[in-house]
Short mmCIF file of all heavy atoms in Angstrom, two decimals:
data_model
loop_
_atom_site.label_atom_id
_atom_site.label_comp_id
_atom_site.label_asym_id
_atom_site.label_seq_id
_atom_site.Cartn_x
_atom_site.Cartn_y
_atom_site.Cartn_z
N ASN A 572 -5.54 5.14 -6.77
CA ASN A 572 -6.23 6.42 -6.56
C ASN A 572 -5.83 7.36 -7.69
O ASN A 572 -4.65 7.58 -7.92
CB ASN A 572 -5.82 7.05 -5.24
CG ASN A 572 -6.25 6.19 -4.06
OD1 ASN A 572 -5.44 5.62 -3.35
ND2 ASN A 572 -7.56 6.09 -3.89
N ILE A 573 -6.83 7.90 -8.33
CA ILE A 573 -6.58 8.71 -9.53
C ILE A 573 -7.10 10.14 -9.32
O ILE A 573 -8.23 10.36 -8.87
CB ILE A 573 -7.28 8.11 -10.77
CG1 ILE A 573 -6.76 6.70 -11.05
CG2 ILE A 573 -7.15 9.01 -12.00
CD1 ILE A 573 -5.31 6.63 -11.51
N SER A 574 -6.25 11.09 -9.69
CA SER A 574 -6.69 12.49 -9.75
C SER A 574 -6.79 12.83 -11.24
O SER A 574 -5.79 12.96 -11.94
CB SER A 574 -5.66 13.37 -9.07
OG SER A 574 -5.78 14.70 -9.54
N ASP A 575 -8.04 12.89 -11.72
CA ASP A 575 -8.27 13.24 -13.12
C ASP A 575 -8.81 14.66 -13.15
O ASP A 575 -9.88 14.94 -12.61
CB ASP A 575 -9.30 12.27 -13.73
CG ASP A 575 -9.45 12.48 -15.23
OD1 ASP A 575 -9.44 13.66 -15.67
OD2 ASP A 575 -9.58 11.47 -15.95
N PRO A 576 -8.06 15.60 -13.74
CA PRO A 576 -8.40 17.03 -13.63
C PRO A 576 -9.81 17.38 -14.12
O PRO A 576 -10.33 18.40 -13.70
CB PRO A 576 -7.37 17.71 -14.51
CG PRO A 576 -6.26 16.75 -14.64
CD PRO A 576 -6.84 15.39 -14.53
N VAL A 577 -10.42 16.56 -14.96
CA VAL A 577 -11.78 16.91 -15.41
C VAL A 577 -12.82 16.60 -14.36
O VAL A 577 -13.94 17.10 -14.41
CB VAL A 577 -12.20 16.24 -16.75
CG1 VAL A 577 -11.15 16.52 -17.81
CG2 VAL A 577 -12.44 14.77 -16.60
N LEU A 578 -12.49 15.78 -13.36
CA LEU A 578 -13.45 15.39 -12.33
C LEU A 578 -13.43 16.33 -11.15
O LEU A 578 -12.39 16.87 -10.78
CB LEU A 578 -13.15 13.97 -11.82
CG LEU A 578 -13.22 12.81 -12.80
CD1 LEU A 578 -12.92 11.52 -12.07
CD2 LEU A 578 -14.58 12.73 -13.46
N GLU A 579 -14.62 16.47 -10.50
CA GLU A 579 -14.68 17.29 -9.32
C GLU A 579 -13.99 16.63 -8.13
O GLU A 579 -13.43 17.29 -7.27
CB GLU A 579 -16.16 17.59 -8.97
CG GLU A 579 -16.79 18.55 -9.98
CD GLU A 579 -18.31 18.55 -9.91
OE1 GLU A 579 -18.84 19.24 -9.05
OE2 GLU A 579 -18.95 17.85 -10.73
N GLU A 580 -14.07 15.27 -8.08
CA GLU A 580 -13.47 14.53 -6.96
C GLU A 580 -12.46 13.53 -7.52
O GLU A 580 -12.51 13.16 -8.68
CB GLU A 580 -14.54 13.74 -6.19
CG GLU A 580 -15.73 14.57 -5.72
CD GLU A 580 -15.39 15.49 -4.57
OE1 GLU A 580 -14.37 15.21 -3.88
OE2 GLU A 580 -16.11 16.49 -4.39
N ALA A 581 -11.58 13.02 -6.63
CA ALA A 581 -10.64 11.98 -7.05
C ALA A 581 -11.42 10.71 -7.35
O ALA A 581 -12.56 10.53 -6.92
CB ALA A 581 -9.61 11.73 -5.96
N ALA A 582 -10.81 9.78 -8.12
CA ALA A 582 -11.48 8.54 -8.52
C ALA A 582 -10.55 7.35 -8.25
O ALA A 582 -9.44 7.53 -7.76
CB ALA A 582 -11.84 8.62 -10.01
N THR A 583 -11.04 6.15 -8.55
CA THR A 583 -10.21 4.96 -8.45
C THR A 583 -10.29 4.18 -9.77
O THR A 583 -11.23 4.35 -10.53
CB THR A 583 -10.67 4.02 -7.32
OG1 THR A 583 -12.04 3.69 -7.54
CG2 THR A 583 -10.50 4.67 -5.96
N ILE A 584 -9.28 3.34 -10.00
CA ILE A 584 -9.26 2.54 -11.21
C ILE A 584 -8.54 1.22 -10.94
O ILE A 584 -7.59 1.20 -10.16
CB ILE A 584 -8.61 3.30 -12.39
CG1 ILE A 584 -8.90 2.61 -13.72
CG2 ILE A 584 -7.11 3.46 -12.21
CD1 ILE A 584 -8.53 3.42 -14.94
N LEU A 585 -9.00 0.14 -11.56
CA LEU A 585 -8.35 -1.17 -11.42
C LEU A 585 -7.07 -1.18 -12.27
O LEU A 585 -7.04 -0.55 -13.34
CB LEU A 585 -9.29 -2.28 -11.92
CG LEU A 585 -10.53 -2.53 -11.07
CD1 LEU A 585 -11.49 -3.47 -11.78
CD2 LEU A 585 -10.13 -3.10 -9.71
N PRO A 586 -6.06 -1.92 -11.79
CA PRO A 586 -4.79 -1.97 -12.54
C PRO A 586 -4.96 -2.38 -13.99
O PRO A 586 -4.35 -1.80 -14.90
CB PRO A 586 -3.97 -3.01 -11.78
CG PRO A 586 -4.55 -3.07 -10.43
CD PRO A 586 -5.98 -2.71 -10.57
N GLU A 587 -5.85 -3.39 -14.26
CA GLU A 587 -5.98 -3.85 -15.65
C GLU A 587 -6.58 -2.76 -16.56
O GLU A 587 -6.20 -2.66 -17.73
CB GLU A 587 -6.80 -5.15 -15.75
CG GLU A 587 -8.17 -5.13 -15.07
CD GLU A 587 -8.14 -5.62 -13.62
OE1 GLU A 587 -7.13 -5.35 -12.92
OE2 GLU A 587 -9.12 -6.25 -13.18
N ASP A 588 -7.48 -1.95 -16.00
CA ASP A 588 -8.05 -0.86 -16.80
C ASP A 588 -7.01 0.23 -17.06
O ASP A 588 -6.91 0.74 -18.17
CB ASP A 588 -9.27 -0.25 -16.07
CG ASP A 588 -10.46 -1.19 -16.11
OD1 ASP A 588 -10.62 -1.91 -17.11
OD2 ASP A 588 -11.22 -1.21 -15.11
N LEU A 589 -6.25 0.56 -16.01
CA LEU A 589 -5.22 1.58 -16.18
C LEU A 589 -4.18 1.15 -17.20
O LEU A 589 -3.72 1.92 -18.04
CB LEU A 589 -4.56 1.91 -14.83
CG LEU A 589 -3.52 3.05 -14.85
CD1 LEU A 589 -4.12 4.36 -15.37
CD2 LEU A 589 -2.93 3.27 -13.46
N ALA A 590 -3.82 -0.15 -17.14
CA ALA A 590 -2.82 -0.66 -18.11
C ALA A 590 -3.34 -0.54 -19.54
O ALA A 590 -2.62 -0.14 -20.45
CB ALA A 590 -2.50 -2.13 -17.78
N LYS A 591 -4.62 -0.86 -19.74
CA LYS A 591 -5.23 -0.74 -21.07
C LYS A 591 -5.21 0.71 -21.53
O LYS A 591 -4.90 1.01 -22.66
CB LYS A 591 -6.68 -1.21 -21.05
CG LYS A 591 -6.86 -2.70 -21.30
CD LYS A 591 -8.34 -3.00 -21.45
CE LYS A 591 -8.59 -4.49 -21.46
NZ LYS A 591 -10.02 -4.79 -21.37
N ALA A 592 -5.58 1.62 -20.63
CA ALA A 592 -5.63 3.04 -20.97
C ALA A 592 -4.26 3.56 -21.34
O ALA A 592 -4.11 4.40 -22.23
CB ALA A 592 -6.22 3.84 -19.82
N ARG A 593 -3.20 3.05 -20.65
CA ARG A 593 -1.85 3.53 -20.91
C ARG A 593 -1.27 2.93 -22.18
O ARG A 593 -0.27 3.43 -22.68
CB ARG A 593 -0.95 3.18 -19.71
CG ARG A 593 -1.33 3.88 -18.44
CD ARG A 593 -0.42 3.47 -17.30
NE ARG A 593 0.93 3.99 -17.48
CZ ARG A 593 1.97 3.61 -16.74
NH1 ARG A 593 1.81 2.69 -15.80
NH2 ARG A 593 3.17 4.12 -16.93
N PHE A 594 -1.84 1.82 -22.63
CA PHE A 594 -1.29 1.19 -23.83
C PHE A 594 -2.31 1.13 -24.97
O PHE A 594 -2.32 0.20 -25.75
CB PHE A 594 -0.72 -0.20 -23.51
CG PHE A 594 0.66 -0.09 -22.93
CD1 PHE A 594 0.84 0.18 -21.58
CD2 PHE A 594 1.76 -0.17 -23.77
CE1 PHE A 594 2.13 0.34 -21.09
CE2 PHE A 594 3.03 -0.01 -23.28
CZ PHE A 594 3.23 0.26 -21.93
#
Side-chain angles (χ1 to χ4, degrees):
Chain A
N572 295 113
I573 299 293
S574 158
D575 187 321
V577 307
L578 298 182
E579 288 163 82
E580 307 288 339
T583 56
I584 194 169
L585 292 170
E587 53 268 35
D588 289 326
L589 184 57
K591 271 188 190 170
R593 296 178 69 191
F594 278 83

